[in-house]
Amino acid sequence: MGKQTMGTPCQALQFRADNKLYRIQTPQTPVARTENWAKFNVDQFPTGTNAIVAVLAYTGYDMEDAMILNKSAVERGMFHGQIYKTETIDLTKMRRKGDGIVNVFARSDVAGARKGAPAPVQNSNFVDTDGLPYIGQIMVEGNPYCSVLNTVTGNAKISKLKGGDKAVVDFVAAVGTGPKEPMQKVSIRMRYGRNPVIGDKFSSRHGQKGVLSQQWPDIDMPFSAVTGMRPDLIINPHAFPSRMTIGMLLESMAAKVGVLKGEFVNATPFQKCVSDPKSSKKNKDESLVDKYGKQLKEYGFNYHGTEVMYSGVLGTEMTCEIYIGVVYYQRLRHMVGDKYQVRSTGAVNPVTRQPVKGRKFGGGIRFGEMERDSLLAHGAAYLLHDRLHTCSDYHTADVCVRCGSLLSTTPVIQQKSSAAFAMGLGSNKESRIICRVCSSSRDIELVAMPYVFRYLASELAAMNIKLTLTIGNG
Ligand SMILES: [Zn+2]
């Protein structure tokens, strides 16, 4: 899960122009680490935080791989992070080879701008006279961050911030600027704050990934009887039996000892367990649990890493001891803010008139065949009708009952009978539906159907196949 973390991907961040880069704000070095950790300078690129993790089912908000974070711990900066996005604007791509420089970075109110060009009132708050944004400027969707002036036409092309997130102008780099030529390429880096919200993903180094379900108030978190300590993070004990991530339980205990001692723990795999030199018995086959259990006991803690805890809500002692320790937790780069998709109404495909697909376009989520099967199995006919018809491509078509065609009907405007017109009843024209095949306006029914059905009839007609509908009541 290392490559999915929101960690420290590089050191020269200040000078980089990555398309997209994730970075955590308050990283720590893990207490439990391998022998090669220092050798490969992994500390230069930390990815997580040593969190106090309690393993218990608390409040129900940690069911099914959900996890609870301590709200105060998050407010102190735990798992805070940023996304950096860079926009590169290259004016050389806007002209052909050999042509003179026409486009320059400038605001539209500088010399050379067309007379009577729209006043750059909104621009000047965000874009300087050089056409580039102010570093540190807070921007929201639609704010301009770059202005390119055409020195021939005097028109300015303005780049605006996209996406609903608030951004800060982090860095502006002039790329490859000659001494005499005007600047033709810039990289503008935006910084987006991404603090933990409900729905974000976290993981330990053992692959125990979970989704934040609630930021629980510190005062309502369970607390230890011995130290009064409240956990940063709560995960459900049911996450362990099937996954068998014993390593995480061992890390929890080992790092707890390490924290008490103020030392790093050697967690290199496949090593012989060497017992504590202070211990009187030199037992080579001692288990890790015994090794760290003894040391925990020396510091006045429970041998098995559990602690008596009190409910933060009720103030009563919990009926069993709670396994609590230190685990290195990472924030993963999958965030709800980038993934959530919701729609009531919006763009439709012009051919089928069904909602378009894709989060970017405000499209719908596909209600596919398997979902359809589920509703059929439940007998939820009205819900099925609602999803597949009413909320999709609802359409009403005029169908000629005589010939059964839905393509031959068309509205025509006719003169009203002179009697009705003489009585002064509105316009003298009226619209009627007639069938072009039967040349009749009788026996025409309005039928509701998905629009794709009409499209199907049209496609079949194009192949010289006639589709006939039999209309009946029932
Ligand atoms: Zn007809």
Side-chain angles (χ1 to χ4, degrees):
M1 227 139 287
K3 72 174 179 182
Q4 296 186 45
T5 56
M6 208 177 166
T8 315
C10 58
Q11 292 290 332
L13 191 75
Q14 186 56 242
F15 311 105
R16 293 178 65 104
D18 298 75
N19 191 30
K20 203 173 185 188
L21 192 142
Y22 294 82
R23 185 202 194 188
I24 200 157
Q25 192 171 309
T26 52
Q28 295 175 352
T29 181
V31 176
R33 45 166 63 187
T34 61
E35 276 168 10
N36 287 321
W37 196 268
K39 185 178 163 190
F40 292 118
N41 289 320
V42 190
D43 268 342
Q44 301 289 315
F45 305 93
T47 58
T49 306
N50 294 295
I52 307 295
V53 177
V55 181
L56 82 154
Y58 196 64
T59 70
Y61 277 102
D62 55 358
M63 280 194 291
E64 297 283 352
D65 288 315
M67 46 172 270
I68 300 166
L69 279 185
N70 185 321
K71 190 160 183 266
S72 295
V74 174
E75 283 166 356
R76 279 178 225 122
M78 188 174 75
F79 296 131
H80 281 207
Q82 283 92 30
I83 299 179
Y84 294 88
K85 285 181 187 169
T86 309
E87 203 72 49
T88 301
I89 298 160
D90 189 356
L91 300 186
T92 58
K93 284 181 181 167
M94 290 166 72
R95 62 162 198 246
R96 275 177 296 178
K97 216 175 179 184
D99 285 3
I101 291 173
V102 172
N103 294 302
V104 291
F105 290 102
R107 209 161 65 190
S108 58
D109 59 342
V110 297
R114 176 166 56 90
K115 268 193 184 161
V121 181
Q122 203 206 351
N123 274 354
S124 54
N125 293 331
F126 297 96
V127 180
D128 207 347
T129 48
D130 61 2
L132 302 174
Y134 301 102
I135 288 172
Q137 175 72 50
I138 298 169
M139 304 217 297
V140 294
E141 185 173 10
N143 287 157
Y145 62 85
C146 182
S147 170
V148 174
L149 184 70
N150 186 312
T151 51
V152 175
T153 64
N155 291 324
K157 189 172 170 255
I158 291 156
S159 306
K160 289 177 178 170
L161 191 72
K162 281 174 265 177
D165 291 341
K166 195 168 81 176
V168 178
V169 179
D170 193 59
F171 188 60
V172 178
V175 185
T177 306
K180 284 180 184 170
E181 283 192 335
M183 182 164 66
Q184 290 291 284
K185 193 176 176 184
V186 290
S187 285
I188 300 164
R189 190 170 68 218
M190 300 288 179
R191 167 162 37 93
Y192 297 82
R194 280 297 174 88
N195 295 339
V197 290
I198 291 170
D200 286 356
K201 198 172 173 184
F202 300 85
S203 174
S204 75
R205 289 178 292 175
H206 310 271
Q208 279 288 6
K209 49 185 188 265
V211 172
L212 173 59
S213 63
Q214 195 72 266
Q215 292 191 27
W216 209 254
D218 189 52
I219 51 164
D220 291 337
M221 287 294 255
F223 56 91
S224 159
V226 180
T227 58
M229 193 178 281
R230 284 148 293 181
D232 293 320
L233 199 151
I234 297 176
I235 67 160
N236 198 295
H238 299 98
F240 289 100
S242 56
R243 323 264 161 88
M244 296 183 281
T245 50
I246 313 304
M248 181 157 157
L249 300 173
L250 287 173
E251 182 192 342
S252 179
M253 228 173 139
K256 193 172 177 179
V257 172
V259 165
L260 290 166
K261 278 182 162 177
E263 289 173 2
F264 291 120
V265 173
N266 184 358
T268 311
F270 308 115
Q271 60 175 338
K272 260 194 175 168
C273 178
V274 185
S275 34
D276 190 22
K278 278 184 270 180
S279 169
S280 52
K281 263 200 278 178
K282 289 270 178 196
N283 183 6
K284 288 274 180 194
D285 298 326
E286 189 179 35
S287 77
L288 279 174
V289 174
D290 288 331
K291 177 185 168 183
Y292 293 118
K294 277 180 201 163
Q295 295 178 61
L296 276 177
K297 213 171 176 186
E298 282 173 29
Y299 285 95
F301 283 83
N302 187 296
Y303 189 88
H304 295 290
T306 59
E307 287 181 35
V308 174
M309 293 190 93
Y310 286 84
S311 164
V313 177
L314 304 171
T316 51
E317 189 180 324
M318 287 183 159
T319 47
C320 65
E321 292 181 5
I322 306 300
Y323 192 71
I324 182 169
V326 179
V327 181
Y328 195 65
Y329 251 82
Q330 299 162 318
R331 171 130 185 240
L332 302 186
R333 60 212 310 173
H334 304 284
M335 282 166 272
V336 266
D338 305 321
K339 289 177 191 278
Y340 77 92
Q341 197 172 347
V342 58
R343 156 181 178 139
S344 52
T345 186
V348 290
N349 183 315
V351 176
T352 61
R353 293 199 190 170
Q354 289 178 351
V356 293
K357 62 179 176 184
R359 207 184 88 90
K360 279 194 294 247
F361 312 107
I365 296 228
R366 186 181 163 85
F367 187 88
E369 273 191 84
M370 292 171 76
E371 290 76 15
R372 184 203 65 140
D373 293 345
S374 290
L375 292 197
L376 285 175
H378 282 271
Y382 279 90
L383 179 57
L384 191 68
H385 189 264
D386 183 65
R387 293 292 92 199
L388 259 39
H389 195 203
T390 319
C391 298
S392 182
D393 54 347
Y394 182 84
H395 177 67
T396 49
D398 296 302
V399 180
C400 175
V401 180
R402 282 193 199 176
C403 64
S405 169
L406 69 103
L407 297 175
S408 62
T409 54
T410 178
V412 289
I413 294 165
Q414 288 182 328
Q415 291 282 329
K416 263 187 192 171
S417 63
S418 55
F421 180 55
M423 286 163 72
L425 296 173
S427 164
N428 65 334
K429 284 175 182 168
E430 64 178 350
S431 171
R432 288 204 299 170
I433 311 289
I434 64 157
C435 173
R436 292 276 182 204
V437 176
C438 308
S439 300
S440 165
S441 63
R442 279 192 288 174
D443 302 327
I444 304 244
E445 294 289 340
L446 195 64
V447 180
M449 63 183 68
Y451 186 80
V452 269
F453 184 71
R454 174 185 274 271
Y455 177 62
L456 172 72
S458 311
E459 286 279 0
L460 290 174
M463 289 184 278
N464 222 9
I465 299 169
K466 188 186 176 193
L467 196 140
T468 306
L469 275 72
T470 311
I471 309 291
N473 292 318

